[in-house]
């Protein structure tokens, strides 16, 4: 007499049902994905595609980082591909970017592995007045590309710091309005105007003199070009949980010297700076950008220096830290600081930013020969042709500054 087969318990039946439901939830029907890819291709405006990628990275970044063990950050920008020679190139394809600890070799994981990153992310968009599901393309980029970012310091000005000579650049002139009062200041990176700043508590150097360099890059004793003032941001270690703002102002002492320094970047009267991400992405989808590095850098290899052309790569946020040289009390320390938002640019050609180029302007030139300020350059990569800038709209946000007069407003002006 055969033994009857025991019936599954209710708990076992529920577990099997649960696993089946999970598998169906992870599966995107092929016809749905195909339709969503077709809808994405109907969006013929790259700026709209960039905006959708940025919005999804901002909204879904934490949950996607949690969902995939290999992912350390989610951002947006353009796809990157390597040529047969191993050179990384940007592809004109907006996408959501997964930053990963390591990239899987081709064919290492099964296509149905739930930890395999998706080639598209489904989201909703408005096309021709209708809400439709679109398939946002994704790209996978290694975290190593973000590891060796270093602040750079440029050679319009110099100052004597105890023990060494510091060089640094100006980005533009800023007018500060408070009531009926108006005053113009030079703007640069905090780590240029306040070398080795104190971080505990944050402190700006006040009254430091900056002098010019000759056309050959030699330090000159006069005239006094600018002297620092304690209007600026703060450098903070990431352990504080607070963002840094690597920006400081200096009082202009020699307007003629400042005009000479900034002669190559006449700001547009109608559009002196880029006001938000959407404007930046519209311009990035149609234009290259320039880092306005000075010709008289002491370590340049050519005079004049070749035009330093850049293209938008991706956005970075609080997840990215940059190591700064700083002081805690009188002790030299490395301050791993993060910023609210940075823009990553890929520099085209063989010439790259030099140590000393921090503080110069990132601009986009317009059809009439004028330009719009896109950002303030603060750092570059040790091994890759990548440059990092604080976006322009942050530079003119009074809430980011210490010690400004009450109700002050900031705007960029020609010197």
């Amino acid at each position: 007499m055969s033994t009857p087969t025991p019936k599954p318990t209710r708990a076992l039946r529920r577990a099997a049902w649960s696993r089946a439901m999970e598998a169906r939830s992870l599966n995107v029907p092929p016809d749905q994905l195909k339709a969503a890819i077709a809808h994405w291709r109907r969006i013929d405006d790259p700026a709209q595609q960039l905006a959708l990628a940025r919005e999804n990275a901002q909204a879904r970044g934490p949950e996607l980082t949690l969902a995939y063990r290999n992912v350390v950050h989610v951002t947006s920008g353009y796809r990157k591909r390597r040529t047969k020679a191993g050179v990384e190139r940007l592809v004109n394809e907006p996408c959501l970017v997964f930053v990963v600890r390591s990239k899987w070799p081709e064919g290492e994981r099964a296509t149905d592995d739930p930890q395999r990153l998706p080639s598209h992310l489904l989201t909703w968009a408005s096309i021709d007045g209708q809400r439709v599901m679109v398939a946002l393309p994704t790209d996978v980029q290694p975290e190593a590309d973000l590891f060796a970012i270093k602040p750079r310091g440029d050679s319009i000005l110099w100052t004597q710091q105890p023990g060494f000579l510091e060089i640094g650049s100006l980005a533009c002139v800023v007018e500060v309005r408070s009531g009926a009062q108006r005053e113009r200041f030079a703007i640069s990176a905090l780590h240029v105007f306040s070398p080795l700043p104190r971080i505990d508590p944050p402190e700006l150097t006040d009254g430091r003199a900056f002098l010019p360099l000759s056309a050959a890059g030699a330090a000159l004793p006069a005239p006094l070009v600018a002297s620092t003032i304690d209007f600026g941001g703060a450098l903070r270690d990431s352990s504080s949980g607070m963002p840094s703002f690597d920006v400081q102002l200096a009082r202009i002492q020699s307007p003629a010297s400042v005009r000479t320094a900034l002669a190559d970047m006449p700001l547009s009267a109608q559009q002196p700076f880029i006001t938000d991400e959407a404007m930046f992405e519209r311009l990035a989808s149609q234009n290259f950008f320039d880092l306005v590095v000075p010709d008289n850098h002491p370590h340049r290899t050519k005079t004049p220096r070749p035009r330093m052309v850049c293209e938008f790569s991706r956005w970075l946020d609080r997840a990215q830290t940059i190591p700064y040289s700083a002081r805690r009390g009188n002790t030299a320390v490395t301050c791993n600081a993060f910023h609210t938002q940075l823009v990553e640019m890929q520099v085209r050609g063989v010439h790259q930013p030099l140590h000393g180029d921090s503080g110069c302007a990132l601009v986009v030139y317009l059809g009439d020969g004028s330009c719009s300020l896109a950002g303030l350059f603060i750092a570059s990569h040790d091994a890759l042709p990548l440059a990092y800038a604080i976006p322009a709209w942050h530079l003119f946000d009074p809430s980011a500054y210490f010690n400004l007069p009450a109700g002050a407003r900031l705007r960029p002006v020609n010197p």
Side-chain angles (χ1 to χ4, degrees):
M1 182 175 178
S2 61
T3 304
T5 303
K7 293 183 178 179
T9 65
R10 181 179 178 87
L12 289 175
R13 290 198 303 270
R14 179 175 172 182
W17 169 84
S18 177
R19 288 192 297 271
M21 174 175 278
E22 181 183 24
R24 289 192 299 271
S25 296
L26 290 170
N27 181 54
V28 177
D31 56 342
Q32 185 183 53
L33 179 60
K34 183 178 179 180
I37 291 173
H39 288 316
W40 173 262
R41 291 172 178 167
R42 285 175 54 200
I43 303 175
D44 56 6
D45 180 3
Q48 184 182 353
Q49 292 179 328
L50 281 169
L52 282 168
R54 170 172 47 83
E55 289 166 358
N56 276 272
Q58 291 172 343
R60 301 182 63 182
E63 69 191 60
L64 291 168
T65 303
L66 182 63
Y68 295 98
R69 292 186 296 271
N70 194 29
V71 173
V72 298
H73 184 49
V74 178
T75 183
S76 63
Y78 282 113
R79 184 182 299 280
K80 293 182 180 181
R81 284 204 175 100
R82 290 193 180 275
T83 65
K84 291 182 179 178
V87 178
E88 196 169 69
R89 300 291 187 196
L90 285 175
V91 179
N92 190 26
E93 183 180 355
C95 60
L96 183 133
V97 178
F98 290 111
V99 180
V100 297
R101 292 183 176 86
S102 60
K103 296 185 75 169
W104 292 355
E106 287 294 326
E108 182 178 289
R109 298 290 184 99
T111 56
D112 60 351
D113 188 328
Q115 284 294 308
R116 188 181 185 91
L117 294 172
S119 61
H120 296 81
L121 192 73
L122 297 182
T123 187
W124 289 85
S126 294
I127 303 178
D128 299 330
Q130 291 186 322
R131 295 292 290 173
V132 296
M133 183 175 284
V134 299
L136 169 62
T138 69
D139 192 24
V140 179
Q141 299 175 11
E143 67 176 8
D145 289 359
L146 296 173
F147 178 67
I149 301 173
K150 299 289 180 62
R152 304 296 179 191
D154 144 333
S155 63
I156 294 299
L157 307 175
W158 70 275
T159 186
Q160 189 68 46
Q161 175 79 355
F164 63 93
L165 181 145
E166 179 75 16
I167 56 176
S169 186
L170 302 180
C172 69
V173 172
V174 175
E175 182 179 81
V176 177
R177 298 184 183 187
S178 178
Q181 299 296 315
R182 297 185 183 185
E183 188 171 2
R184 292 186 170 191
F185 299 91
I187 188 170
S188 187
L190 182 156
H191 77 268
V192 169
F193 277 165
S194 292
L196 292 175
R198 283 194 173 93
I199 60 171
D200 192 16
E203 181 182 88
L204 297 169
T205 302
D206 192 8
R208 182 176 297 280
F210 277 81
L211 299 157
L213 276 73
S214 71
L220 300 176
L224 174 61
V225 177
S227 56
T228 59
I229 190 168
D230 62 353
F231 294 173
L235 194 64
R236 303 181 177 97
D237 195 82
S238 59
S239 60
S240 71
M242 297 287 289
S244 292
F245 185 54
D246 187 8
V247 177
Q248 188 175 354
L249 305 184
R251 182 167 277 114
I252 296 171
Q253 307 290 351
S254 174
S257 297
V258 173
R259 282 195 294 272
T260 299
L262 301 175
D264 290 338
M265 48 168 292
L267 295 176
S268 166
Q270 291 74 35
Q271 191 178 308
F273 73 102
I274 297 176
T275 57
D276 55 29
E277 293 98 333
M279 181 186 289
F280 186 96
E281 288 165 342
R282 284 199 303 274
L283 290 166
S285 67
Q286 303 170 9
N287 299 273
F288 293 119
F289 294 77
D290 283 68
L291 281 177
V292 190
V293 296
D295 285 340
N296 62 339
H297 195 292
H299 305 301
R300 69 198 183 282
T301 57
K302 290 187 177 182
T303 302
R305 288 176 77 183
R307 180 185 175 196
M308 202 157 292
V309 179
C310 309
E311 51 190 324
F312 171 60
S313 173
R314 57 184 167 183
W315 297 106
L316 297 179
D317 59 18
R318 295 167 177 249
Q320 176 65 47
T321 60
I322 297 176
Y324 286 83
S325 296
R327 287 175 295 164
R328 182 172 280 112
N330 291 318
T331 303
V333 297
T334 297
C335 172
N336 291 304
F338 65 86
H339 296 73
T340 300
Q341 185 178 48
L342 294 175
V343 59
E344 179 185 272
M345 309 296 293
Q346 183 159 306
V347 184
R348 296 167 62 90
V350 297
H351 296 280
Q352 302 300 317
L354 299 172
H355 179 75
D357 280 337
S358 279
C360 74
L362 175 70
V363 304
V364 57
Y365 285 98
L366 308 175
D368 61 359
S370 67
C371 65
S372 288
L373 183 69
L376 186 149
F377 168 67
I378 61 166
S380 59
H381 198 282
D382 268 353
L384 300 173
L386 301 173
Y388 301 87
I390 297 173
W393 50 95
H394 291 287
L395 304 178
F396 310 111
D397 177 5
S399 68
Y401 288 79
F402 287 107
N403 304 320
L404 286 179
R409 293 175 294 162
L410 301 90
R411 69 184 185 101
V413 295
N414 283 308

